Amino acid sequence: MRRGVTPAIGSRIVEVVRPRCSRKPIEIRPSLSAFRRRVRGATITGLARAGKRVVIWLDTEEAIVVEPRMTGLLLVVDPPTQEHLRWRLVLEGGSLGEMSYWDRRGLGSVRLFNRNEFQESFGPDRLGPDALGITAAVYRQQLGDSKREIKPALLDQRAVAGIGNLYASEILFVAGIHPQRRCSAMNHRQWQALSAATRSVLAEAIRYEGSTLGDGTYRNALNRQGGYQNHHRVYDRAGEVCGDCRSSRICRMVQNQRSTFYCSRCQKRTGARLA
DNA sequence: CCCCAGTCCTGCGGGC
DNA sequence: TGCCCGCAGGACTGGG
C-alpha cells in the first residue's frame, strides 16, 4: 500500500474531500474543516509506514496517518465502489491527480498529527520495532521475559510492529514453532528461526502484493488483487493436508478470540525447524 | 501483566 | 428462498 502511493511525493494538496457516501463516515481527525485548513496548499514530502499505518508527511511538518484496519484501501485509481469511498485528496503539481481512501467496513481512520502528537502516538512506547527488519536479539529483548503464548504476543504492536493475524500463523509455521509456545520458554534457536521466518514471510508477501482473501477486499494502490493467498501454508486451510509433512492435517484453534492455523506435526511444542 | 468480552462496522456463507 | 448466526486482514477500553 505504501509503495503504491509513493508517486504522490512532490504533489501539492489542493483539497480534501469527504465524498457523499451512503455509509456512516469513518473517523477523520481533526474535523474536516480544520483538516482542510491545515493541509490545503501543503506538499507531500514523503511516504512512510508506522507498523500497519501509512504516513503521509507534509512540508508543514505534519503527517496524515491512514489506518486501514481490516478493509481499508489507499488508492491512486478509481475505487471498487463509490458507496464505500470515504475520503479523497485532490492533488496537483505531480504525476497523480488524487489519492483515495476506500473502506468497506469503515473501521479504519484518517488522522492528522503534528510532530509531537505523532511521536506520542507512534513512538517506541506505543509501537515496537518494525517486523520487516526484526532480529533474534530484538525479538528476545521485546518478548523474551513474557509468559504469554507466542502467537498472541506476535500480534502485540507494542512488542513488534506490523504483524497481523494471517501472517502470525504463516510465520510460526515456517519457523516450526507451536503457537502456544510460551515466549519465556523459547530458546536461542527458536528466536533465530522466528526472526528469519518473520522476515522471509513478510518479504515474500510483499513481493506478491499481499493476500486477497475470500471476500476479495484487499487490493493494492492500483486496485489490483494480491497473490500471496495462493502461497498460504496454513491460514484458512483447516482440514487440508499439510504441504510440508504431507501426513497431518492443518488445525484451527482460537487464541485471544482470534483464529490460529498450524500443523501439529510440523510445529511441536518444543524445538524449532532449522533457521 | 495479561486475558476476556465488548465496541466500532459491513457483508458473506452456512445451517435450518 | 429467506432469515439468523457466526465470522472476518484490527485496535482499543474497562473489568477481573
Side-chain angles (χ1 to χ4, degrees):
Chain A
M1 202 176 274
R2 200 272 305 168
R3 289 179 188 187
V5 294
T6 47
I9 293 174
S11 292
R12 189 169 58 257
I13 298 172
V14 179
E15 185 54 288
V16 183
V17 183
R18 179 143 53 178
R20 201 176 297 281
C21 96
S22 53
R23 306 291 162 169
K24 191 174 175 183
I26 58 152
E27 179 182 3
I28 293 180
R29 274 203 306 224
S31 67
L32 186 58
S33 57
F35 202 116
R36 280 181 172 142
R37 192 168 56 245
R38 283 160 61 178
V39 310
R40 271 185 190 146
T43 296
I44 296 172
T45 54
L47 281 155
R49 190 170 54 72
K52 301 174 185 173
R53 302 157 180 98
V54 176
V55 183
I56 303 169
W57 281 106
L58 309 176
D59 61 354
T60 55
E61 303 280 292
E62 296 203 299
I64 299 169
V65 178
V66 177
E67 185 175 334
R69 303 246 178 137
M70 312 275 249
T71 53
L73 302 177
L74 199 53
L75 298 160
V76 298
V77 296
D78 285 341
T81 66
Q82 289 299 310
E83 185 187 10
H84 300 104
L85 178 60
R86 314 281 182 160
W87 174 88
R88 177 158 50 195
L89 284 182
V90 180
L91 307 173
E92 73 177 26
S95 53
L96 290 181
E98 58 187 41
M99 189 190 311
S100 299
Y101 181 69
W102 181 95
D103 193 339
R104 183 158 58 71
R105 284 173 76 178
L107 298 179
S109 65
V110 177
R111 290 177 292 168
L112 183 64
F113 294 83
N114 64 32
R115 278 208 175 269
N116 282 341
E117 294 164 341
F118 184 87
Q119 202 52 35
E120 280 170 24
S121 293
F122 309 110
D125 287 354
R126 302 288 296 276
L127 212 51
D130 194 83
L132 274 185
I134 200 76
T135 63
V138 173
Y139 252 137
R140 183 148 53 178
Q141 170 198 311
Q142 294 298 102
L143 291 172
D145 295 333
S146 171
K147 296 184 177 107
R148 310 158 75 182
E149 295 173 345
I150 183 64
K151 195 271 185 170
L154 287 179
L155 299 182
D156 181 351
Q157 304 298 302
R158 308 170 83 116
V160 173
I163 299 174
N165 196 47
L166 183 169
Y167 295 108
S169 286
E170 293 295 315
I171 288 165
L172 287 169
F173 176 82
V174 170
I177 295 169
H178 193 282
Q180 290 179 308
R181 181 89 179 153
R182 300 278 166 185
C183 292
S184 55
M186 301 242 299
N187 58 35
H188 177 70
R189 168 173 284 189
Q190 288 183 307
W191 290 121
Q192 207 68 46
L194 185 65
S195 59
T198 301
R199 295 189 306 264
S200 68
V201 165
L202 295 181
E204 196 183 7
I206 290 167
R207 194 157 55 81
Y208 283 101
E209 304 256 2
S211 299
T212 301
L213 299 184
D215 67 2
T217 297
Y218 178 72
R219 304 297 170 108
N220 67 14
L222 298 173
N223 194 22
R224 303 276 274 267
Q225 291 200 18
Y228 194 64
Q229 66 279 2
N230 301 318
H231 300 268
H232 290 172
R233 294 157 172 97
V234 289
Y235 184 80
D236 207 18
R237 303 187 67 158
E240 294 182 39
V241 174
C242 171
D244 259 29
C245 66
R246 301 200 174 275
S247 59
S248 194
R249 290 183 186 275
I250 307 298
C251 301
R252 174 187 180 267
M253 70 171 162
V254 176
Q255 291 173 285
N256 287 17
Q257 293 96 238
R258 307 202 68 188
S259 291
T260 301
F261 298 88
Y262 67 106
C263 171
S264 58
R265 186 182 176 92
C266 297
Q267 294 165 265
K268 294 297 188 188
R269 286 164 188 279
T270 58
R273 186 172 308 201
L274 288 175

